[in-house]
Amino acid sequence: MSPLILFPAIDLKAGQVVRLAEGDMDRATIYGDDPAAQAEIFATAGAEWLHVVDLDGAFAGESINGAAVAGILARFGGKVQLGGGIRNRESIARWLDLGVARVVIGTAALENPDLVREAAREYPGRIVVAVDARDGMVATHGWADVSDVSVVDLARRFEDAGVAALLFTDVGRDGLLKGCNVEATVALARAVRIPVIASGGVTDIGDIHALRPHVADGVEGVITGRALYDGRLDLAEAIEVAA
């Protein structure tokens, strides 16, 4: 069985490393002012992947923390998965050309699905669709709005598109250390033929143990942020458990 990929997260707001509670920009905890240095710390702990989110970009609909992302790319030796405000072909191409391994498309996946399909054809294995959920329904625009489309319905729209993965976030748990919603993550993975990355609520090593057996169900990886920054989860240990 393949390993569960650990994606330590760096969320960017005004050039700083932060974590939000339930996606609320007014409930941000600052963890540092040097994102590139934080990326290097994660690399030293053994991370091969990094998940980066331009939070300001997610709300603005365009890149805001580009300089910070560029700094991370220069210092992190592994692969970077980037999301936040990537809503057109130009921004997709720009980031992939600059060295980002995968781009994450969220709001645009719901509002402009043809963009996802075209990008997935042009950049096979490099497009991830963010499926963010509040009570099973898709949340958009930096999680500020909730649509009338279910998570599974949105995911199934891209089954034949060739996307690399689905990034499933339980918004109600994100940044709150409530524990990963393993049940909902696995249910989504079993419902579609696209690998699923779990996100939101990871508290400690128990969440990694809980997700690891479900690689066979299609769970590809897990994103963790606040648990790492607060010292509740040791990244090197988590990577070992996930292997």
Side-chain angles (χ1 to χ4, degrees):
M1 187 164 57
S2 301
L4 182 74
I5 301 172
L6 258 294
F7 294 83
I10 295 180
D11 290 357
L12 301 169
K13 182 175 185 284
Q16 297 178 310
V17 179
V18 307
R19 293 300 292 170
L20 305 184
E22 298 182 271
D24 187 342
M25 289 287 271
D26 293 327
R27 297 162 66 194
T29 301
I30 299 171
Y31 284 100
D33 57 7
D34 192 340
Q38 183 62 61
E40 197 166 23
I41 290 170
F42 287 147
T44 300
E48 297 180 359
W49 278 91
L50 188 65
H51 181 72
V52 179
V53 181
D54 181 346
L55 293 172
D56 299 302
F59 284 88
E62 60 184 1
S63 175
I64 301 295
N65 288 285
V69 175
I72 289 169
L73 289 170
R75 297 272 288 276
F76 185 71
K79 299 175 182 179
V80 173
Q81 177 172 280
L82 174 68
I86 301 174
R87 297 177 190 169
N88 57 58
R89 294 187 69 178
E90 292 74 22
S91 57
I92 291 169
R94 181 174 69 254
W95 284 120
L96 293 178
D97 289 345
L98 285 173
V100 170
R102 289 175 170 178
V103 295
V104 181
I105 301 176
T107 296
L110 181 64
E111 298 181 347
N112 186 8
D114 286 343
L115 171 69
V116 174
R117 295 189 181 94
E118 292 168 4
R121 283 195 297 269
E122 189 170 355
Y123 303 102
R126 303 184 73 183
I127 305 299
V128 175
V129 172
V131 187
D132 304 327
R134 283 191 189 275
D135 300 320
M137 307 307 286
V138 176
T140 62
H141 298 95
W143 303 344
D145 301 324
V146 179
S147 73
D148 58 359
V149 178
S150 77
V151 167
V152 172
D153 284 347
L154 178 65
R156 285 178 173 160
R157 293 177 186 179
F158 300 106
E159 279 201 298
D160 61 350
V163 300
L166 300 171
L167 171 53
F168 173 68
T169 302
D170 184 336
V171 178
R173 295 178 183 236
D174 192 64
L176 296 182
L177 301 170
K178 290 183 176 181
C180 184
N181 192 337
V182 176
E183 182 179 355
T185 301
V186 173
L188 177 61
R190 289 173 175 169
V192 296
R193 299 185 302 274
I194 308 171
V196 174
I197 301 168
S199 177
V202 171
T203 303
D204 54 31
I205 199 67
D207 289 300
I208 312 305
H209 280 291
L211 286 165
R212 179 67 183 87
H214 295 290
V215 170
D217 292 310
V219 178
E220 178 188 78
V222 56
I223 293 171
T224 177
R226 185 175 173 185
L228 294 175
Y229 295 110
D230 286 354
R232 291 175 168 85
L233 180 66
D234 179 81
L235 181 56
E237 180 188 5
I239 291 171
E240 184 177 348
V241 169

